Amino acid sequence: MNVIIYPERADWKEILKRPTLDTGSLRETVCGILGRVRNEGDKAVMEYEEMFDKVKLHSLAVTEDEFREAEKAVSIELKAAIMLAYKNIHTFHSSQKFEGKKVSTLPGVTCWQKAVAIEKVGLYIPGGTAPLFSTVLMLATPARIAGCREIVLCTPPDKSGKISPAILYAAQVAGVSKVFKAGGVQAIGAMAYGTGSIPKVYKIFGPGNQYVTAAKQQVSLRDVAIDMPAGPSEVAVLADETANPAFVASDLLSQAEHGVDSQVLLVTTSRGLLEKTQAEVERQLALLPRKQIAMKSLESSRLVLVESLEEGIAMVNEYAPEHLIIETRDYAAVAEKIVNAGSVFLGSYSPESAGDYASGTNHTLPTNGYAKAYSGVSLDSFVRKITFQEVTPEGIATIGPAIEVLAANEYLDAHKNAVSLRLNRKI
Amino acid sequence: MNVIIYPERADWKEILKRPTLDTGSLRETVCGILGRVRNEGDKAVMEYEEMFDKVKLHSLAVTEDEFREAEKAVSIELKAAIMLAYKNIHTFHSSQKFEGKKVSTLPGVTCWQKAVAIEKVGLYIPGGTAPLFSTVLMLATPARIAGCREIVLCTPPDKSGKISPAILYAAQVAGVSKVFKAGGVQAIGAMAYGTGSIPKVYKIFGPGNQYVTAAKQQVSLRDVAIDMPAGPSEVAVLADETANPAFVASDLLSQAEHGVDSQVLLVTTSRGLLEKTQAEVERQLALLPRKQIAMKSLESSRLVLVESLEEGIAMVNEYAPEHLIIETRDYAAVAEKIVNAGSVFLGSYSPESAGDYASGTNHTLPTNGYAKAYSGVSLDSFVRKITFQEVTPEGIATIGPAIEVLAANEYLDAHKNAVSLRLNRKI
């Protein structure tokens, strides 16, 4: 861990630097795979599954039998935990439903927005060591609440052609329409273009490695929308002397265990807390199964001592963390001053794990400083707000003459004429 | 105009096809300009202004004097029209303010969203024959309502180094912070990276030619968010025999005059209306100053006769038009069935021009079928919804055990430990 004591403002940029993500070098590989999937569909997907996931598939869709088997294989304890998380996610995202109100901007001129679900969405769940069933809940639950007609999920199978039972169970609970055995770039291509078995969708969600990220970027240039750009996961903890060093250390470590490129930042006004947290990190780290990963990512972590809470707030706003934990006296007042963050955790009893799994907020959040411009996934991510306007003869009489002037000054006479014809009609 | 009578469902794809947008071939040129702007800042911007806009600039910022001159140069009539449009846009976008409510997902677990303005936004307004001051209003007004701290506007100057007075006047009315004389790829680069005089922003909005579009795509891969992908402007009119052929023709023509690649589609259940509209288009076209442009884009326009209103609704949903005008009996019921569109205009007295200028809705809308996944610009486009959660000791006691199970099943022991430590603490 890198300890930085009372840095100058001029050094913040260097201190808050993130690793450079260059997916440009993958472009050729990714475009090659996408091109074949676009042209050859399922055949190409199956070939790439054999090549990358070492599995020979004869069909991609998960069958009813496989769903039933999965349901049996998940323990009662895990089922109960999944249901609790699902219910909280459902409650919070249901509260985000948008009711457009009709607004009369002038007499006879009425405008409104209506939220309409994106008809077809695709969810990508990575494979690898951990079965990310929590991400299934985070993406499929709001998609279902929004009313998406088709919710497709792709995830790579293991070498025996199976998908983690917990993923299939979570998919059923949250209301996924269809699950397919496909991973990596080929899965992104399949959902972007459609294949014989995998439907084309209009928006793709979900995490992935650098190849998946590059593929999502590539298809988003023309064929499909994506949730947001991706980068390594990250946490910033803003703490004063009232914070519990063991808790702070555990929060830093839960980020550090994600991956070797995880970003971990502590900003504190208390030298005592900083030192005790360091000691606690060492102590807790020794007990972790994913110690090697956490140790690696801690190498580039930063513990920063600042002169005041105001300075600390400014620093985390400049960093724009995916997750921000505020463990300070009067944390509610501090939270009011946060302008750049994905999700904020308040007080000593709100660890990042709570939001990762079960508080109800979404864990698909903007990384890499993208929180300055992007929101995390919410119900909004699964709808479009279509605008409507209804102008009456009275309304066009009121706004028509202004439109004629505006159109004429932009040299758009046909625009003007569409109004003039209506104004001149004997009503 | 291409008349298509009772097409088969299988032919829709071909009928509804849009021109292929390939900005890939511009990639090298665009990357070259962006790279120089990133490295050389203002110097590069000025050199490109000389090269592309044929103007030698010594500074990029529009001065107070230039704003004052512009205000004098705009006619009283145009000022009044701009104010009327501004007020309606302001009224409608103000109504979109988001108030997050606190939701208790379980006792002691509280979650909420808060809308926070993007701190710095950049607006691009193209040059060319028409001064698009209406787009200034459409972008700057919601940015100001959202509370964006810095609203930067770039637009190319004419050969004498001046910017259209109407653009500068609209920028003042809507609350733009700073206007810079820069166009094209160099303007996009300047706002994405920042230069000596032009601030770096977090999100770039606004229309542009294919170079601007390609530049926005390019910078959006890493450096900055953008409003949405772009394509040629388009209108679909859905009409039955109750529609007024002169009005319908004028709406098709106001789209056609935008550019030679504008997309114009009429879907109707009435052969009589179709034929009368054709005749009206010919009649009105002859009188238009931008006749040559409109004629060219009408060449690829399509007038489609369908068997039923249901079929017509399905066809426009498949097309997902940027603008949809519904001129039918009981248009409100038809509107309920629209799932893919940017903005919808209801009834005979709601021409597209109304929304383009002054009804209050935004005219920055998804083209090229992107309405299937994207919304138009709204107040939402200028904020992020940050999520917050506060878990009390009681709350963690309720959800903690489930989090422990979920984390353990994803093999994330540090995540589990962050909860266990809190559960085990003597409270």
Side-chain angles (χ1 to χ4, degrees), chain A residues 128-239:
Chain A
T129 50
L132 296 180
F133 54 82
S134 60
T135 305
V136 178
L137 298 180
M138 292 292 175
L139 298 176
T141 308
R144 177 59 67 183
I145 295 167
C148 299
R149 201 156 49 76
E150 189 147 41
I151 305 170
V152 172
L153 189 153
C154 285
T155 190
D158 64 20
K159 283 175 195 167
S160 69
K162 294 283 173 203
I163 289 171
S164 148
I167 285 181
L168 292 184
Y169 180 71
Q172 274 190 306
V173 166
V176 170
S177 321
K178 281 177 195 152
V179 178
F180 296 95
K181 298 171 183 174
V185 178
Q186 61 272 27
I188 302 301
M191 293 192 282
Y193 312 129
T195 69
S197 52
I198 303 177
K200 177 197 167 28
V201 301
Y202 302 146
K203 189 169 182 178
I204 295 176
F205 296 79
N209 62 17
Q210 54 181 345
Y211 288 92
V212 168
T213 298
K216 281 173 69 185
Q217 278 193 341
Q218 196 57 40
V219 296
S220 77
L221 293 179
R222 259 199 45 197
D223 300 288
V224 69
I226 61 171
D227 45 0
M228 69 189 84
S233 190
E234 49 192 39
V235 74
V237 178
L238 177 62

Side-chain angles (χ1 to χ4, degrees), chain A residues 12-132:
Chain A
W12 284 18
K13 200 171 170 181
E14 189 57 31
I15 295 168
L16 301 178
K17 214 170 172 177
R18 289 175 168 90
T20 310
L21 306 166
D22 183 15
T23 55
S25 57
L26 312 177
R27 200 170 169 269
E28 214 169 304
T29 311
V30 166
C31 286
I33 299 173
L34 290 175
R36 276 206 57 209
V37 171
R38 187 198 274 267
N39 293 328
E40 298 170 42
D42 286 337
K43 179 171 167 285
V45 175
M46 288 183 199
E47 281 182 31
Y48 287 119
E49 280 307 313
E50 191 166 0
M51 189 182 303
F52 298 124
D53 292 324
K54 313 295 177 206
V55 56
K56 201 160 174 59
L57 299 171
H58 300 287
S59 70
L60 298 173
V62 171
T63 63
E64 284 304 314
D65 278 351
E66 288 175 300
F67 275 112
R68 271 190 295 270
E69 271 173 46
E71 194 172 342
K72 282 184 213 151
V74 177
S75 72
I76 290 178
E77 185 190 39
L78 180 53
K79 276 181 186 161
I82 286 176
M83 284 311 301
L84 180 141
Y86 168 71
K87 280 185 186 161
N88 286 354
I89 296 164
H90 196 278
T91 300
F92 185 52
H93 289 77
S94 292
S95 81
Q96 297 165 15
K97 274 187 193 163
F98 172 79
E99 290 298 333
K101 40 186 180 243
K102 292 198 175 185
V103 177
S104 176
T105 51
L106 279 176
V109 183
T110 310
C111 305
W112 66 98
Q113 293 177 300
K114 182 180 161 189
V116 180
I118 298 173
E119 291 181 281
K120 304 176 187 188
V121 296
L123 317 181
Y124 182 72
I125 304 295
T129 50
L132 296 180

Side-chain angles (χ1 to χ4, degrees), chain B residues 30 32 70 98 104 114 121 180 230 232 265 268 293 337 397:
Chain B
V30 166
F98 173 79
S104 176
K114 181 180 162 191
V121 297
F180 296 96
L265 178 68
T268 181
I293 293 174
K337 296 178 182 163

Side-chain angles (χ1 to χ4, degrees), chain B residues 292-304:
Chain B
Q292 296 306 325
I293 293 174
M295 270 174 64
K296 185 81 188 151
S297 77
L298 286 175
E299 278 174 21
S300 54
S301 70
R302 289 139 292 177
L303 311 184
V304 186

Side-chain angles (χ1 to χ4, degrees), chain B residues 99-302:
Chain B
E99 290 298 333
K101 38 183 182 249
K102 292 198 175 183
V103 177
S104 176
T105 52
L106 278 175
V109 183
T110 310
C111 306
W112 65 99
Q113 294 176 298
K114 181 180 162 191
V116 181
I118 297 173
E119 291 181 282
K120 303 175 189 190
V121 297
L123 316 181
Y124 182 72
I125 304 295
T129 49
L132 295 180
F133 54 82
S134 60
T135 305
V136 178
L137 298 179
M138 292 292 174
L139 298 177
T141 308
R144 178 57 68 183
I145 294 167
C148 299
R149 200 155 51 75
E150 189 147 42
I151 305 170
V152 172
L153 189 152
C154 285
T155 190
D158 63 20
K159 282 175 196 167
S160 68
K162 295 283 173 203
I163 288 172
S164 148
I167 285 182
L168 292 184
Y169 180 72
Q172 274 189 304
V173 166
V176 169
S177 321
K178 280 177 195 152
V179 178
F180 296 96
K181 297 171 184 173
V185 177
Q186 61 272 27
I188 301 302
M191 294 192 282
Y193 311 129
T195 70
S197 52
I198 303 177
K200 179 198 164 30
V201 302
Y202 302 145
K203 189 169 183 180
I204 296 177
F205 296 78
N209 63 18
Q210 54 181 344
Y211 287 92
V212 169
T213 298
K216 281 173 68 184
Q217 277 192 341
Q218 195 57 41
V219 296
S220 77
L221 293 179
R222 261 198 44 196
D223 301 288
V224 69
I226 62 170
D227 46 359
M228 69 188 85
S233 190
E234 50 193 38
V235 73
V237 179
L238 178 61
D240 64 11
E241 73 285 0
T242 66
N244 181 319
F247 294 0
V248 172
S250 73
D251 292 331
L252 299 179
L253 284 167
S254 41
Q255 192 55 52
E257 78 172 342
H258 264 300
V260 293
D261 53 2
S262 281
Q263 300 287 300
V264 172
L265 178 68
L266 169 66
V267 178
T268 181
T269 51
S270 162
R271 191 184 287 254
L273 179 88
L274 190 152
E275 287 166 359
K276 281 181 219 151
T277 299
Q278 261 188 304
E280 269 291 332
V281 166
E282 296 301 333
R283 202 186 59 76
Q284 293 179 25
L285 177 65
L287 307 169
L288 287 181
R290 289 168 75 95
K291 184 164 51 179
Q292 296 306 325
I293 293 174
M295 270 174 64
K296 185 81 188 151
S297 77
L298 286 175
E299 278 174 21
S300 54
S301 70
R302 289 139 292 177

